[in-house]
Amino acid sequence: MTTVKEQEKIQEQFKERMNEDELLNCMRCGFCLPSCPTYVESGFDEAHSPRGRIALMKGVVDGLIEPDEDVERSLDLCLGCRACEPVCPSGVNYGHLLEEARDIINQNKKHSFPVKVVRKAVFHHLFPHQNRMRNITGLLGFYQRSGLQKLARNTGVMKLFPETMATMEKVLPAVPKMKEMKNRPEYLPAEGKVSKRVAFFSGCLMDTMFLETNNATVKLLQAGGCEIVIPKSQACCGALHGHSGEKAEGKALAKRNIQAFEEIKADYIITNAGGCGAFLIEYDHLLKDEPEWHDRAKAFSAKLKDFTEVLIECRLHENVPLSLPPAAVTYQDSCHLRNVMHTSSAPRRLLNAIDGLQFREMKDADRCCGSAGIYNIVESEMSMQILDYKMEQAKSSEAAIIATANPGCLLQMQLGIEREGLTGKVKAVHLADLLYEAMEYGIQTAETSRSATTAAAAKS
């Protein structure tokens, strides 16, 4: 509960820091309402819509509304999926308003001691340090490989945890060994003629828990003719900080990444995680008030691209055989990849290029799955409501494979598959892993076909 003094500080900061022009850009037309998952799932509660939240922010700025628990609750319940932005006729940058408001509230209220400790540990002592991320992930790997995981499940220990967390434990990927996580390349040559020189943003979770997806991504880029530089001094993108009211730490991480990448003469900076990409591509906005960094951030953001866009540009799907055994596949958009990076056609073009797969568009594929960083943990009830709707659409597509391009979305879809009892019938995969599997299978099939043709010609 915020005190009167805290509310006064928050209100003062709202007046100083919130972009009033942006708040006034909202025409209250309501075009955003159908696109907002929390508005729909809350029973069309205006306070849980983009229009309603902007009205609350404006009310606080004008001194008409106190920044109390109801205001904070409305902002906390927002997924930050930014599906409201593409449909807004006024072009309101809702995501920027939301992040600023959350940061103001977080920096001017007193958290309980346990919350303060957890936030400090996660935001300041874990994610900014890749070696610590490796160590924590290594402990998870030990849990999985040592027999502790089997023991925990057999003895019913997992039943002591909330249902969502217990189910999430079942769908976590097999963690690589510590040696694999430490021995990461800094340069990878292109296969054949060099078409692009790219820098790869490896990320924190992506280069630990989802290491195999990173490996698949760089192999695909190599096959497309890209030589790849992977700066060792890069850091966490800062998205988790920016979305959770830790803007100062997000800025510090942004500066580390800009420094790490700006000396590399690369055509593009590549990411394979929609959530990371959306935050990285807005470094210029994040550092807009720092003249010595803004131009450098702008140059960084201008080079950022999702790996699917680069694979299309390199014509991987035309130059490399992509094939898999017959199956139906659908695609779940990463909200930030679609709504912020504006990438939606490239993943679909690549899926349609895989021989053997039948692509089926899922209804409302662009609607959030409910993952949203750590939202599925801190707002489990709403997250599961949103996931239930998503799984209805996934089942209606009758696809055996659900592809996506963000680690959070991937885990959420795997969680949905487990909750629906579809394990073994439907699988969720990162698009990079699926494409790499298709490339390996396609090359093997082509070689087998050539060998058979050569043998037949020799006999004749």
Side-chain angles (χ1 to χ4, degrees):
M1 181 179 290
T2 51
T3 65
V4 173
K5 193 173 182 180
E6 287 168 351
Q7 288 184 13
E8 288 173 354
K9 284 184 179 179
I10 291 169
Q11 195 143 36
E12 186 181 328
Q13 287 287 297
F14 261 70
K15 288 178 181 178
E16 289 179 12
R17 290 174 51 183
M18 295 300 291
N19 187 331
E20 194 160 5
D21 288 338
E22 199 72 74
L23 290 170
L24 288 169
N25 275 344
C26 178
M27 301 185 303
R28 312 290 191 264
C29 65
F31 278 28
C32 60
L33 300 182
S35 68
C36 178
T38 55
Y39 173 72
V40 175
E41 294 298 334
S42 66
F44 310 108
D45 185 341
E46 183 74 25
H48 298 316
S49 72
R51 180 174 70 178
R53 291 181 177 112
I54 289 173
L56 290 174
M57 294 179 209
K58 184 69 168 65
V60 173
V61 169
D62 292 341
L64 302 174
I65 297 175
E66 292 182 354
D68 56 15
E69 284 72 27
D70 290 337
V71 172
E72 186 178 355
R73 180 63 188 144
S74 174
L75 299 178
D76 284 347
L77 200 62
C78 179
L79 291 147
C81 68
R82 297 173 72 167
C84 51
E85 292 184 14
V87 299
C88 177
S90 300
V92 175
N93 290 304
Y94 171 80
H96 298 166
L97 292 171
L98 177 69
E99 287 182 5
E100 194 72 12
R102 282 178 169 172
D103 188 61
I104 292 169
I105 291 171
N106 179 64
Q107 298 305 320
N108 290 282
K109 66 173 284 188
K110 289 184 179 178
H111 293 290
S112 66
F113 181 72
V115 170
K116 195 182 294 183
V117 168
V118 170
R119 289 184 70 93
K120 192 77 173 175
V122 171
F123 294 125
H124 296 266
H125 297 302
L126 179 57
F127 276 89
H129 306 280
Q130 190 62 6
N131 60 326
R132 295 175 189 174
M133 288 294 295
R134 280 194 294 267
N135 290 336
I136 290 293
T137 309
L139 289 174
L140 177 59
F142 174 77
Y143 165 75
Q144 290 176 335
R145 290 187 289 269
S146 65
L148 285 173
Q149 184 179 54
K150 188 176 180 181
L151 181 65
R153 291 177 180 179
N154 290 344
T155 56
V157 169
M158 295 311 300
K159 292 179 181 177
L160 300 175
F161 291 88
E163 183 184 351
T164 301
M165 290 187 68
T167 309
M168 185 69 78
E169 186 268 349
K170 293 181 182 179
V171 302
L172 288 174
V175 173
K177 293 180 180 177
M178 185 64 74
K179 185 178 179 181
E180 295 174 75
M181 289 190 283
K182 283 184 176 179
N183 296 332
R184 303 302 290 148
E186 293 181 58
Y187 174 82
L188 292 165
E191 290 183 11
K193 185 180 177 182
V194 177
S195 61
K196 302 286 178 189
R197 176 178 167 84
V198 302
F200 183 60
F201 183 81
S202 51
C204 43
L205 276 177
M206 289 304 298
D207 218 40
T208 49
M209 190 179 293
F210 295 93
L211 184 70
E212 288 308 311
T213 301
N214 268 4
N215 289 341
T217 304
V218 294
K219 286 172 184 174
L220 289 166
L221 290 167
Q222 285 179 284
C226 295
E227 64 170 341
I228 306 164
V229 181
I230 309 172
K232 205 161 191 174
S233 56
Q234 64 179 291
C236 168
C237 68
L240 189 62
H241 302 79
H243 301 327
S244 303
E246 295 284 346
K247 200 171 181 180
E249 186 63 34
K251 285 183 176 183
L253 290 168
K255 292 171 185 176
R256 282 175 60 186
N257 283 321
I258 291 167
Q259 286 179 318
F261 282 88
E262 64 186 353
E263 292 181 5
I264 299 168
K265 305 301 180 185
D267 298 310
Y268 301 124
I269 298 169
I270 310 297
T271 178
N272 60 358
C276 295
F279 198 73
L280 293 166
I281 208 167
E282 292 195 330
Y283 274 1
D284 56 336
H285 171 76
L286 183 68
L287 298 170
K288 69 182 187 303
D289 297 325
E290 301 189 35
E292 70 276 23
W293 283 98
H294 183 248
D295 286 344
R296 295 165 72 181
K298 200 170 181 179
F300 176 95
S301 299
K303 287 188 174 184
L304 200 82
K305 273 188 181 282
D306 183 67
F307 81 104
T308 57
E309 297 279 8
V310 178
L311 293 181
I312 290 290
E313 194 171 323
C314 294
R315 301 183 181 278
L316 177 85
H317 57 306
E318 296 175 9
N319 300 324
V320 175
L322 299 173
S323 178
L324 283 172
V329 62
T330 192
Y331 179 69
Q332 164 60 25
D333 284 285
S334 156
C335 296
H336 288 120
L337 182 60
R338 185 183 183 107
N339 300 327
V340 184
M341 294 188 72
H342 308 299
T343 296
S344 60
S345 65
R348 289 168 170 82
R349 286 180 65 184
L350 290 167
L351 285 170
N352 275 302
I354 302 175
D355 289 336
L357 292 190
Q358 180 191 10
F359 179 70
R360 295 178 182 172
E361 188 68 54
M362 186 197 309
K363 181 186 174 186
D364 292 336
D366 58 346
R367 181 166 159 178
C368 186
C369 64
S371 172
I374 58 172
Y375 187 94
N376 55 5
I377 297 173
V378 297
E379 297 290 350
S380 179
E381 185 179 350
M382 178 59 77
S383 175
M384 292 305 102
Q385 279 182 238
I386 293 167
L387 178 59
D388 287 344
Y389 176 82
K390 180 61 63 178
M391 291 310 299
E392 284 178 27
Q393 312 317 313
K395 286 189 290 185
S396 295
S397 74
E398 297 184 346
I401 304 170
I402 304 171
T404 189
N406 187 59
C409 301
L410 176 60
L411 287 177
Q412 185 81 338
M413 297 313 295
Q414 289 173 334
L415 181 62
I417 289 168
E418 181 71 24
R419 279 165 54 89
E420 293 291 330
L422 296 173
T423 304
K425 299 175 186 176
V426 178
K427 69 174 182 177
V429 295
H430 192 287
L431 182 55
D433 294 313
L434 187 66
L435 287 168
Y436 181 64
E437 183 186 352
M439 183 173 72
E440 283 199 312
Y441 187 87
I443 292 171
Q444 183 182 6
T445 302
E447 288 176 351
T448 302
S449 178
R450 279 196 296 271
S451 299
T453 302
T454 303
K459 285 183 181 179
S460 61

